[in-house]
Amino acid sequence: GTHVDFSRMTGRWSQWLPERLHGALERRTVGALVDGAHASDVFARVLDVARLECDTVDDGDWLVWTNIRTPGGIEFPRSVSLQSILRRAVFTGITPGESARLTGEELAGLLLRVWKTESK
């Protein structure tokens, strides 16, 4: 997504999970099943509202948005995958749709120079 260092992401599980459970989760593999259809639609809508252009690639497993750019040609330096959006949802405990909205708004803010990026 828009974060290079996910451990610094606001809302990560270590912030909201009771501290007594941290050690138990760090020694385990935890899985989650989430549906990406709504998240994909939300992310595409945010890009459209922000007038951001992009290419999409479906590699058979995940939808990936590449060459994300403003009409003026400012381009995001990385691709954004549906997988990264869904991982963010699981990592932070928010819904997939909310993760997609937040990722899209951050991306729009970075490209439209509303705030600085940590991704460069």
Side-chain angles (χ1 to χ4, degrees), residues 7-27:
S7 67
R8 295 178 42 210
M9 190 181 305
T10 302
R12 62 191 175 275
W13 65 266
S14 58
Q15 290 179 324
W16 53 264
L17 188 71
E19 197 165 323
R20 61 184 165 71
L21 299 176
H22 286 200
L25 277 183
E26 289 173 350
R27 294 185 302 268

Side-chain angles (χ1 to χ4, degrees), residues 1-2 34-44 47 55-66 68 79-90 95-101 103:
T2 55
V34 291
D35 182 2
H38 179 66
S40 177
D41 292 344
V42 169
F43 188 74
L47 294 180
D55 300 317
T56 56
V57 177
D58 186 345
D59 69 4
D61 292 322
W62 299 105
L63 184 60
V64 179
W65 292 267
T66 62
I68 304 168
S79 298
V80 175
S81 70
L82 181 57
Q83 181 182 34
S84 68
I85 291 170
L86 299 178
R87 283 177 181 246
R88 179 184 198 161
V90 172
T95 67
E98 185 65 9
S99 176
R101 183 199 58 78
T103 301

